Amino acid sequence: MAPRTRNLASDPDRPSFLEELYQGRFRWDLIHPFPEQQPADRERGDGAVAEVGSFLRERVDATDVDVRGSLPDGFLTELAGHGYLKLQTGAETGGRGLSSFNTFRVIEEAASWCLPVAVLMGIENALGASAFLRVLPPGPLADRVRAHVLSGGLSGTADTEPAGAANQGRTTTATLVEDGAAYLLNGRKIQVVNAPAGDLFSVTASVREADGTERNRLFFVDAATPGVRRSGPQELMGLRGLPFGGLDLENVRVPAELALAEPDPEHTSRLTPAVSLLVVRGRLYIIAAPALAAAKLCLGWAHDFVARRSVDGRGLGEYEEIRRRLAESRAETFALESTARWSLLGEDQGAAVNLKFEQNASKNICSVLGWRIVERTLSMLAGEGYETAQSKQRRQVTPAPLERAFRDVRGLRITGGVDFLLDNWSAGRTLLSYYYPEPDHAAELAEEQAPPAAFGDDHALSERNREHLRFVREQVHRFGHDCLELVRRHPRRAELMARQRLLILLNRTATELLTMSLTLARAASATTAGQQDVQDLADVYCTAARARLAALLHRRHQEYGPGAVHDAVARLAGTPPTAQEPTHPTHDVTTAEARGTGR
């Protein structure tokens, strides 16, 4: 196991499947048998899921929310009053005391009716005041946050600034005053959920320490404090109705005891350590649960459409391509759900594994899978998919809100970090930490073939899936081998860190291998339990994933060069075409294709 100093997520006392994968080791024993929710916990979750579903269907018209861009009057107060914004805290704070996976299930159910409400619930339960109670040490700050949670007030996290969320530092500043008794905060925050109505906000700000260094720290700011001004609302392409806005802070006095005192982080991060820990798990609530709900809705809409439509006298479901697309969506939904289950169930059951790596990777895995399913469904439904729900209702067609799901789920690839940036960060900050300096098992990685490994009761898998399993093991070793060779070509880490496209491709390779592994592990355990149909789902998913891995490998090899051509083209991007240069070159498509140059 890598030492703690490698990166913030590593735990020398608990192994991680993805951490081992990063290092070219395939640890099937860590993910199989695949965890299952305990019956008592599942039963408790069933009741909470049914309750939230009934509440939302009675209280919220999802189409009206999307059209008006706002939630019903008084709805947020009711949502808080039912304890839906503090699902995991105990009864002593008015919470529900649910497990991590049941919290996920409740948010997924909410998303199946109104996705913006689910995202709001996810953010409050992941990054709101109730979530901070887990990480705050005893003292005045914990007392203040607990009082807020008990009152049922709304909260929010104010981190993003007009300059962008990707910057390591923050332009919002916190200056120590009154001989250390308080801080004065100055700056502007945008894209803050609950900014229009929240009472307590966690605000990131840059503090200049006594030694002259600057670091990000977290402050809890009462919205009623003089100098706090709300701005907005901000309107989004999708997720309409999500209460979004900004906070302007001008000489806002925050008592020193309302600043979260954290140890100096070992690694540079734009977020404070406490927020980083909450974000890792929280993305499953904010991103993965809505993505899974949308995927399941799309499956239902697609099957309904196929059942009632025909082309040239043949039922739509009789066509091969339609059947394949339905199968791919079912298989990707299974893979998405497998990723979420693995990332949360082990935590609930106290498994001796470190899930932080998988929880972090789940954001991109689940949001991209969800988006692929929605986009594929839209193509299948064609014009009916592109049409709004209210338009379908007027002409008495099943009013499936697919175009709304299209807008909403596309936003999930941006929420919590744009997907390609997260790939770059994960590879640069985490993956490379196992190869600089050269790993202890470099000699093992240098071998062309993976060392022999026993899979135990992999006989539960079909023959095709056993072959997929062998393929994954070989590819994990090859991945470690390629990473080792790559860092040897770039002995200076900063040089490789600058190759962003290459890092993105490396991380996408790792997450494809992770998703295949989790899908196969769940299929093996489910088959043992008598669920034979999952073999086909795993096979369909892994077959497509292998094609994507082949493409990623090809693109990685292309990126081993300096990439000068792309740099040159990018520099020309801002140059407008001259009058002699048509913006859209014309050519005979048939002739171009005959020459092998057509697309």
Side-chain angles (χ1 to χ4, degrees), residues 21-42:
L21 188 156
Y22 283 150
Q23 299 171 78
R25 302 188 186 103
F26 183 67
R27 293 288 305 276
W28 178 248
D29 60 300
L30 294 180
I31 60 174
H32 184 262
F34 198 83
E36 287 291 331
Q37 189 175 20
Q38 297 300 311
D41 190 52
R42 182 172 62 249

Side-chain angles (χ1 to χ4, degrees), residues 470-488:
R470 290 189 289 270
F471 169 84
V472 173
R473 180 181 69 88
E474 293 165 0
Q475 290 303 306
V476 168
H477 176 77
R478 179 175 184 173
F479 178 75
H481 176 277
D482 288 353
C483 289
L484 179 64
E485 292 300 311
L486 190 59
V487 299
R488 285 176 172 175

Side-chain angles (χ1 to χ4, degrees), residues 185 199-203 219-223 225 228 249 252 254 258:
L185 269 60
D199 306 303
L200 184 69
F201 295 92
S202 59
V203 178
F219 300 84
F220 286 80
V221 179
D222 283 290
T225 306
V228 176
L249 309 169
V252 175
V254 179
L258 295 187

Side-chain angles (χ1 to χ4, degrees), residues 441-575:
H441 64 301
E444 177 185 318
L445 288 178
E447 296 293 331
E448 290 294 334
Q449 299 297 321
F455 293 127
D457 60 347
D458 67 312
H459 59 274
L461 292 170
S462 67
E463 178 54 40
R464 285 179 60 88
N465 283 331
R466 286 200 294 273
E467 200 282 320
H468 289 315
L469 183 61
R470 290 189 289 270
F471 169 84
V472 173
R473 180 181 69 88
E474 293 165 0
Q475 290 303 306
V476 168
H477 176 77
R478 179 175 184 173
F479 178 75
H481 176 277
D482 288 353
C483 289
L484 179 64
E485 292 300 311
L486 190 59
V487 299
R488 285 176 172 175
R489 295 184 193 182
H490 299 83
R492 294 178 60 252
R493 183 171 179 173
E495 180 183 292
L496 187 52
M497 289 279 285
R499 301 293 306 278
Q500 293 181 320
R501 175 58 63 84
L502 186 52
L503 296 185
I504 290 168
L505 295 173
L506 283 173
N507 199 66
R508 289 180 179 174
T509 300
T511 53
E512 284 283 7
L513 290 169
L514 169 64
T515 312
M516 286 183 71
S517 301
L518 297 179
T519 301
L520 289 167
R522 185 182 174 201
S525 294
T527 301
T528 303
Q531 301 176 40
Q532 293 293 329
D533 62 320
V534 301
Q535 292 299 311
D536 290 338
L537 293 175
D539 182 21
V540 169
Y541 181 80
C542 289
T543 299
R546 290 176 69 162
R548 290 191 296 271
L549 282 167
L552 285 167
L553 180 62
H554 177 69
R555 292 172 64 191
R556 274 167 37 205
H557 287 166
Q558 287 183 318
E559 288 296 323
Y560 286 160
V565 173
H566 291 84
D567 292 342
V569 172
R571 285 194 294 271
L572 293 174
T575 305

